[in-house]
Amino acid sequence: MSLFSQLYKTYEINVGKEQDPEQQMTPVAHMNANAQMEIVLNMDGELREIVVINKGEGTTLIPVTEASAGRSSGIAPHALCDTLSYIAGDFENYCETDKQKKTAAGRFKEYMENLKAWAESSWTHPKVQAVYRYLSQRKLIADSIEYGYIQVDENGKFCDKKISGQPYEKVMARFRVLGSAPGQTGTWQDDTLIKAYTDYYLSKQEGKADICYYIGEERTISENHPKGIVAANYGAKLVSANDMQGYTYRGRFQSAEQSYALSYEASQKIHSALTWLVKKEGVYVGSKDKRMFLCWNPENKKVPDIFDSLDLEGDEDEEYTPISYRRDLRKALQGYRNQFKDVDSVIILGLDAATTGRLSVTYYHELAASTFIDQINRWGETCCWYFLKFDKKKKAYFSVETPIFRRIVECAFGCERNGFLEVDDKVLKEQVQRLVKCMIEDQRISFDLVQALKNRASAPMAYKSGTLRERVLSTACAMIVKYHNRYMSKEEGEMEDMKLDETNTDRSYLFGRLLAICEKVERVTYDPGETRDPNAIRLQSAFVNHPMQTWKILEDLLKPYFQKLKPGSREHYRRMIEEIVELLNPEDEQKLNMELSEKYLLGYYLQRAELRSKKKEDQEDKEND
Amino acid sequence: MKHRNSVEFEVAGEYGLFSDPVMRVGGEKFSYQIPTYEAVKGILQSIYWKPTIIWVVDEVKVMNLIQMDTKGIRPIKYFNDKNDLSFYTYLKNCRYQVRAHFIWNENRPELEEDRNEHKHHNIARRMIERGGRRDIFLGTRECQGYVSPCIFGEEKGAYDDIPELAFGMMYHGITYADEAYSEETKGKMCVRLWRAVMRNGIISFLPPWECIHRPIREMNMKKFGVDMENFSIAEEQEVMG
C-alpha cells in the first residue's frame, strides 16, 4: 500500500481512541483547549451539576471551525464547547457596560445559530441536542451563581473575580451528558460525537468537488495542504503543487488542478495521522540538520525502538555473555511478537526536507510485523560484541551489547571533540539510513563502513580518551562480525561465539593475536598507575600496514621487557608467540608483510581478553595457594 | 482469462518507478509498490504497437519481493540551468509476468482493412521473442527493462502464498481521446482510478472502462483519412522495379 493509504488507514483506526489528551490524535476539525468548568447534564438537557475542573485535568478536545481555530478578535464561535461569553445566554445581563453587553449578545447569537444548525442536521447527536436544550434556557450564569462559582456584586453585575485563573468571560466550559456509555459521558470522550462533527464539518465544506485520488469518490478538493508535520522542517509540505515553472506537473497537465485531486477530508486525515505519529514516536537524527524517522504499526500496537538500544529487561549492571545476551534479546522481542497477528504490518518511514518548503520521503519500507521482529532479532544476535561499561561504583566491566546506529556512525566517521565523538549531520543522516535499511531489509552492510571502522580502530593514538578507544574497537569488532556472518560458510543459526579460536590460521587473525601479546608483555612490567602507552599500541598503525616489518621492530623493542619478566612468565609468553608463528603460513616475505584485513581486530581483541582473564585466574590461583 | 489473441511475457529491470500522482506534483517521485496499468500498457506498446490495436492488460504476476530504494536525484530545472535536489523512491529488482490481449481501436475507422487478428498477434509474439521493437522501461525512462517470452504462472513467485494484499485506491491510467470507449471519455482526457488487490501474487487488472473516471480536460483526437491527405493504404503504392 502506498504511504498515504497507510496513513489514511492509521487515522481511521485510531481516531477518538486514546483517552489521554496528550497522546490523542487530533481528529479532523478538532483542537485541544484548556477547560476550567464542566457542566453536567442529563439526556433531556436538565442541569445536574456544575464543577470546576482540577488543575492539570483540563485539556479537552473540542470541535472547531477553520475560523474559530485561529480566532483572535471578532466573533468566531467554536462548535460546542466554548467560553462563557459565547455559550451563556444570560451573560449580558450581568455585564457592566453596554459594549460588553453587545459583544456577549452577538457571540451568543452566532454560537446558538451554529449549534442549532448542527442539532437539526442529519449529523446530529443526542448529546448535542441535550446541550442545545439546556443552553436555550439561557440560565447558565444564574446556575453558576447558585453553585457559588460566580460572584456578583450588590448591583447584580459580575465581580472582578476569576475561576482557576481565568476572568469570567474567558472561562472555557465543557459538557458531560449522563446516560450514555460509561467512560464516554464527556463530549470529548465520545468517539461517535467526534465522528458526527467531523462528517458534518466535511459536508459543509465549500469548494470544488472532484474525484479524490485516495477515496475514489467525489469530495471537496483541497488546494492547500497542511505544513508543520515535522517540527524540524516546519514550513515544509508533503503535498504541494505550486511550481508553475519547473518540471513538476507540467506536460500533459495544463494546471495544478488537472494533475491530481486530493480531497480536504483525505488530506486532513492523512496529515493529522502523520503529525500525531511524528509527535508521538518520531526519532530525529542529527543535531541541526535533522532527518525524521518513524516506525509504526497502523493498529497502534507497541513497536520496539530500533534507534535505541533494544532495551532488555534486566539489571542495569548485568554482565551479559554472548549466550545470555542472545537469550534475553529473544525473550524481550517475543513479548512484542505476541501482540501481533499474522496480517499486521509495520511501516518505517524517513522524512527530510531537501529544500525548505518540500518535505520528501527519503526511506519507506513496509513489512509484516513478524518479519520486522525477526530482522531486529537477527541484527541484534549477529551484530554484538563486548563493550566496556562502568557500574554505579565506577568499576569497569565488560558486557555484550549491540551498538546503536548513531554510535556506529560516530565511531566510523566521527572526530573526538571534548571527550565525545562528533560527526557531521549530513554524514550521520545518510549513514544511519543505510544502517536502518540493512537491518530492516536484511542486507549486507557495505564494506566501506567496515573499512572505516577498521581504520579508526587501528589508530588508537588518535584518541585521547581511553573509553573512546575501547568503544571504537568494540564497535569495529561488532560490525566486522556482522559483515562476515552473512557470507561466511556458517550454517543458518550458527553465530560467532566470541571466544578466542586457537585453530584459526587466517594471517590477519594471527597477527592480531601477536599484537595483543606484545601489548600484554609490556603492560605486565608496568608499575601500578603507569599510564604510558605500550610500544605495541604506538606502532599499531604501522603494524596494520606492514605487519612482518613492524613485528621485527617490536621484537627488538620488547627485549628489555622480556628481561624484566619472571622466567616462568617469559617462557609462557615465548611459547605462545612460537605457537602462533608456527601457524603462520610459511609463504614468502612479501605476502606475509601485506596489509592486514579487518579480521586482525578480532584476533587482537579476543587474545587480549583471554590474557586478561588468564591473569585473573592466575591471581585467584595464587590467592588460593 | 486467456483470449484468442493473448500474449504472455516476462519483464525485468533493476529499477522501476511507477509514480504516485499525488506526491509527484511536489517534485519528489514516490513509486507505487506494483506497476500501474498504464505502465504495463506502455511496455506492451514498446514491444509492438499499431494504431489499429489497443492493448488490454489482463494480469500481472509479481515475481520478486517488493523492495524500495530511495535515491537523491539532481534534476535540472526547466527554466534555468540550476540543479534541483529531489528524492525519488524506486522499486528495486523488479520482475513481472504479464498476460495481455488486444482489441481493435474503433475510433479509427480508416484502419478497418488492417484488422487482421492473425497478423498482429503473430508479429507481437515474434517481437516478444526478440525483446521488443523499442526500448523497454518500467514506468520512467531511466528504468531500463528487458522482455522475454514466458508461460504465465508457471514459475513460483514471491507472493504466491499470500492470499490477499490490498493496495488501496491507485492510479490506473489515462484515457486519451483517441482511445475513448464511452460518451464520458470521448473528446476528453480522463484519469482512471481503481482499487488494487493482489491475490496469490497475481494482480487482475480491471479493464479501463470499468474503472472510476475523472475527466481532466477537453482533448481533440487527430483524425486521419485518405480524404484528409494524411493517410494512405500500403497496397496502393506501386512497387518499384
Side-chain angles (χ1 to χ4, degrees):
Chain A
M1 230 192 269
S2 75
L3 169 63
F4 279 7
S5 303
Q6 287 286 15
L7 287 170
Y8 192 87
K9 182 171 152 198
T10 307
Y11 178 91
E12 293 286 327
I13 294 177
N14 288 295
V15 69
K17 287 276 173 63
E18 181 63 60
Q19 294 309 316
D20 180 3
E22 300 298 315
Q23 293 274 328
Q24 247 176 357
M25 163 162 48
T26 321
V28 179
H30 285 75
M31 77 177 213
N32 274 321
N34 214 2
Q36 290 83 37
M37 212 158 96
E38 188 172 300
I39 302 170
V40 186
L41 311 169
N42 69 4
M43 279 303 208
D44 296 320
E46 289 165 356
L47 180 67
R48 301 313 234 136
E49 207 186 346
I50 299 183
V51 241
V52 162
I53 303 169
N54 294 328
K55 244 195 158 82
E57 290 175 14
T59 316
T60 314
L61 196 65
I62 63 170
V64 297
T65 67
E66 218 168 306
S68 76
R71 76 185 182 194
S72 47
S73 60
I75 302 180
H78 294 315
L80 187 63
C81 305
D82 211 331
T83 58
L84 289 181
S85 59
Y86 274 98
I87 63 175
D90 52 346
F91 195 89
E92 53 176 320
N93 302 342
Y94 300 84
C95 288
E96 285 252 15
T97 70
D98 278 343
K99 183 159 175 277
Q100 287 171 340
K101 284 187 200 273
K102 211 163 140 229
T103 316
R107 284 182 176 176
F108 181 71
K109 181 160 171 287
E110 195 151 322
Y111 170 83
M112 284 307 266
E113 271 172 16
N114 288 343
L115 191 60
K116 183 163 183 250
W118 182 12
E120 290 175 357
S121 74
S122 31
W123 291 271
T124 187
H125 191 279
K127 284 200 172 79
V128 175
Q129 288 167 355
V131 171
Y132 183 71
R133 221 167 282 145
Y134 171 67
L135 291 177
S136 310
Q137 297 170 34
R138 292 178 174 236
K139 50 189 196 69
L140 177 53
I141 300 296
D143 289 333
S144 309
I145 295 174
E146 251 188 70
Y147 274 85
Y149 293 125
I150 296 188
Q151 290 166 3
V152 281
D153 59 19
E154 332 71 62
N155 299 328
K157 302 291 176 201
F158 283 126
C159 286
D160 198 8
K161 291 262 166 86
K162 296 191 177 157
I163 299 178
S164 294
Q166 291 285 9
Y168 293 143
E169 79 263 10
K170 289 219 176 97
V171 170
M172 170 79 74
R174 67 188 190 193
F175 295 98
R176 192 184 285 278
V177 180
L178 301 175
S180 41
Q184 287 206 328
T185 48
T187 52
W188 64 100
Q189 296 167 322
D190 187 344
D191 51 322
T192 59
L193 178 61
I194 292 172
K195 186 162 186 337
Y197 182 70
T198 308
D199 290 341
Y200 171 63
Y201 186 73
L202 288 172
S203 75
K204 282 203 304 159
Q205 280 305 297
E206 279 150 21
K208 279 223 332 236
D210 207 337
I211 305 207
C212 168
Y213 277 28
Y214 280 99
I215 303 181
E217 288 164 11
E218 224 181 66
R219 290 281 192 281
T220 314
I221 299 303
S222 174
E223 309 254 327
N224 227 339
H225 298 283
K227 58 183 186 190
I229 302 163
V230 176
N233 315 100
Y234 192 75
K237 289 188 180 185
L238 203 46
V239 183
S240 97
N242 56 6
D243 184 358
M244 286 184 282
Q245 291 178 299
Y247 273 125
T248 45
Y249 63 79
R250 292 165 73 217
R252 294 178 283 200
F253 306 114
Q254 292 156 339
S255 73
E257 296 150 4
Q258 291 180 2
S259 58
Y260 78 107
L262 188 57
S263 64
Y264 179 77
E265 176 183 348
S267 172
Q268 287 292 307
K269 288 184 178 175
I270 288 166
H271 287 96
S272 182
L274 188 55
T275 318
W276 173 64
L277 286 168
V278 170
K279 203 165 80 153
K280 205 164 70 95
E281 307 178 5
V283 176
Y284 289 94
V285 173
S287 45
K288 282 199 288 271
D289 189 9
K290 299 187 204 175
R291 183 167 294 187
M292 204 255 348
F293 287 95
L294 194 53
C295 186
W296 86 97
N297 160 263
E299 277 87 17
N300 202 20
K301 296 186 185 155
K302 198 156 173 356
V303 165
D305 185 354
I306 56 177
F307 292 94
D308 209 346
S309 50
L310 314 165
D311 46 8
L312 305 176
E313 262 95 351
D315 295 308
E316 272 225 8
D317 294 344
E318 180 154 344
E319 275 186 48
Y320 279 116
T321 65
I323 298 177
S324 66
Y325 176 74
R326 285 172 181 146
R327 185 196 59 218
D328 274 17
L329 178 67
R330 198 166 299 152
K331 235 187 350 181
L333 288 174
Q334 189 60 36
Y336 285 105
R337 206 192 287 269
N338 289 336
Q339 51 170 352
F340 288 117
K341 296 201 287 276
D342 272 344
V343 294
D344 284 342
S345 55
V346 171
I347 302 150
I348 300 101
L349 179 69
L351 289 176
D352 199 351
T355 60
T356 59
R358 233 165 52 192
L359 197 59
S360 52
V361 175
T362 56
Y363 181 72
Y364 178 80
H365 198 73
E366 189 189 318
L367 69 171
S370 51
T371 317
F372 176 67
I373 305 285
D374 284 342
Q375 309 290 43
I376 300 180
N377 200 2
R378 171 100 71 98
W379 178 267
E381 280 182 345
T382 49
C383 180
C384 56
W385 197 256
Y386 297 100
F387 275 82
L388 177 67
K389 304 197 81 165
F390 293 97
D391 66 12
K392 292 193 212 14
K393 296 186 218 114
K394 299 288 175 106
K395 199 162 85 78
Y397 69 99
F398 286 92
S399 173
V400 174
E401 67 173 24
T402 303
I404 58 174
F405 298 137
R406 194 170 52 93
R407 280 282 158 82
I408 299 174
V409 178
E410 281 173 357
C411 289
F413 301 109
C415 304
E416 185 177 9
R417 227 168 265 150
N418 300 328
F420 293 100
L421 285 170
E422 282 180 13
V423 70
D424 188 70
D425 276 346
K426 283 203 182 58
V427 173
L428 185 62
K429 287 193 309 189
E430 289 300 330
Q431 297 297 332
V432 167
Q433 184 165 306
R434 270 166 109 197
L435 286 167
V436 170
K437 199 170 148 87
C438 289
M439 177 205 257
I440 301 292
E441 297 177 37
D442 195 24
Q443 286 186 5
R444 187 183 207 174
I445 50 175
S446 54
F447 188 61
D448 67 274
L449 193 63
V450 176
Q451 191 75 333
L453 279 167
K454 170 203 167 200
N455 290 335
R456 291 299 166 100
S458 305
M461 300 303 293
Y463 298 100
K464 283 213 264 307
S465 154
T467 14
L468 280 184
R469 264 190 222 174
E470 277 303 308
R471 189 186 299 163
V472 172
L473 177 60
S474 293
T475 312
C477 289
M479 291 302 274
I480 292 168
V481 162
K482 170 83 187 139
Y483 178 77
H484 284 284
N485 168 267
R486 266 214 119 204
Y487 289 88
M488 295 237 271
S489 51
K490 283 200 196 302
E491 296 288 325
E492 184 70 48
E494 204 186 311
M495 284 169 284
E496 178 72 43
D497 59 1
M498 294 195 256
K499 276 210 211 12
L500 182 63
D501 180 7
E502 291 184 351
T503 60
N504 192 332
T505 55
D506 177 81
R507 182 184 68 100
S508 301
Y509 194 86
L510 293 169
F511 269 114
R513 291 180 61 190
L514 282 176
L515 187 70
I517 298 177
C518 288
E519 183 191 355
K520 184 73 176 159
V521 162
E522 195 173 329
R523 274 204 202 273
V524 154
T525 65
Y526 278 6
D527 301 319
E530 177 72 67
T531 54
R532 175 172 52 100
D533 285 315
N535 285 302
I537 297 300
R538 273 193 258 151
L539 292 175
Q540 189 168 347
S541 315
F543 190 79
V544 177
N545 290 326
H546 314 283
M548 208 58 201
Q549 233 171 286
T550 321
W551 164 244
K552 295 216 170 84
I553 298 173
L554 265 178
E555 267 194 304
D556 278 338
L557 286 172
L558 285 177
K559 283 205 177 81
Y561 297 98
F562 268 108
Q563 291 308 110
K564 272 205 198 165
L565 293 173
K566 288 204 273 291
S569 300
R570 201 186 307 155
E571 260 320 294
H572 175 69
Y573 288 120
R574 279 248 164 79
R575 217 175 331 122
M576 253 204 263
I577 293 174
E578 264 171 39
E579 280 170 12
I580 297 173
V581 170
E582 222 156 285
L583 287 172
L584 276 171
N585 220 332
E587 292 163 357
D588 54 335
E589 281 280 308
Q590 289 285 45
K591 280 232 181 94
L592 280 178
N593 201 27
M594 275 168 53
E595 187 184 346
L596 294 177
S597 81
E598 66 282 349
K599 293 208 202 107
Y600 95 89
L601 284 167
L602 301 178
Y604 168 74
Y605 192 98
L606 292 170
Q607 180 71 70
R608 193 183 69 165
E610 163 90 4
L611 290 168
R612 195 180 289 133
S613 72
K614 271 220 89 184
K615 175 176 182 195
K616 250 191 13 198
E617 271 173 38
D618 285 341
Q619 269 191 335
E620 282 171 15
D621 283 339
K622 279 208 196 88
E623 284 166 26
N624 289 339
D625 283 335
Chain B
M1 197 182 68
K2 231 175 132 99
H3 293 253
R4 197 170 57 187
N5 53 23
S6 281
V7 293
E8 296 173 358
F9 63 92
E10 182 175 291
V11 59
E14 204 184 329
Y15 289 102
L17 177 50
F18 310 108
S19 325
D20 184 337
V22 176
M23 301 222 237
R24 186 176 169 275
V25 290
E28 321 288 332
K29 294 190 189 177
F30 189 81
S31 176
Y32 280 128
Q33 292 166 309
I34 51 174
T36 57
Y37 178 92
E38 195 79 4
V40 180
K41 184 173 162 193
I43 294 171
L44 279 156
Q45 289 177 336
S46 291
I47 294 172
Y48 171 69
W49 181 75
K50 289 287 181 232
T52 324
I53 63 175
I54 298 179
W55 282 109
V56 175
V57 181
D58 296 314
E59 290 174 314
V60 167
K61 181 169 162 137
V62 178
M63 305 302 291
N64 289 353
L65 269 181
I66 297 172
Q67 284 176 328
M68 294 205 152
D69 193 13
T70 313
K71 283 174 182 267
I73 306 280
R74 307 216 61 191
I76 302 184
K77 290 196 214 257
Y78 180 74
F79 49 95
N80 59 27
D81 287 332
K82 301 262 172 54
N83 281 110
D84 210 357
L85 177 62
S86 300
F87 289 102
Y88 290 179
T89 306
Y90 294 91
L91 283 179
K92 235 183 134 170
N93 286 336
C94 314
R95 193 156 68 94
Y96 308 104
Q97 287 189 346
V98 179
R99 175 188 285 156
H101 70 280
F102 60 84
I103 57 176
W104 305 124
N105 188 347
E106 306 286 348
N107 295 314
R108 298 266 172 230
E110 66 275 13
L111 293 169
E112 209 172 313
E113 291 175 31
D114 189 39
R115 292 183 189 163
N116 179 344
E117 207 174 335
H118 284 296
K119 163 188 158 185
H120 292 294
H121 188 222
N122 282 311
I123 300 180
R125 280 197 307 111
R126 285 201 295 269
M127 290 307 111
I128 286 173
E129 279 165 31
R130 283 156 181 70
R133 279 193 171 176
R134 309 187 70 169
D135 288 346
I136 310 288
F137 50 91
L138 281 84
T140 49
R141 186 61 187 85
E142 71 261 28
C143 303
Q144 188 73 35
Y146 299 92
V147 162
S148 52
C150 78
I151 299 184
F152 187 88
E154 202 178 48
E155 197 186 325
K156 192 162 158 37
Y159 293 91
D160 282 2
D161 300 325
I162 301 186
E164 191 171 300
L165 257 184
F167 291 97
M169 190 65 69
M170 270 178 61
Y171 167 83
H172 190 268
I174 293 185
T175 306
Y176 297 99
D178 65 329
E179 291 189 351
Y181 34 76
S182 65
E183 267 314 304
E184 195 190 1
T185 48
K186 270 206 197 357
K188 290 208 202 67
M189 186 170 102
C190 294
V191 163
R192 303 189 301 266
L193 303 167
W194 74 302
R195 216 168 265 285
V197 179
M198 178 163 83
R199 295 198 172 88
N200 294 102
I202 298 182
I203 304 160
S204 297
F205 280 101
L206 286 180
W209 41 91
E210 288 180 26
C211 297
I212 299 169
H213 284 80
R214 176 190 178 228
I216 306 248
R217 62 178 174 91
E218 306 270 303
M219 179 178 157
N220 287 324
M221 179 179 89
K222 179 162 179 173
K223 288 208 177 357
F224 293 92
V226 179
D227 42 326
M228 285 175 252
E229 301 199 337
N230 57 10
F231 184 83
S232 68
I233 304 204
E235 26 190 24
E236 287 179 2
Q237 290 186 341
E238 286 178 9
V239 177
M240 302 294 255

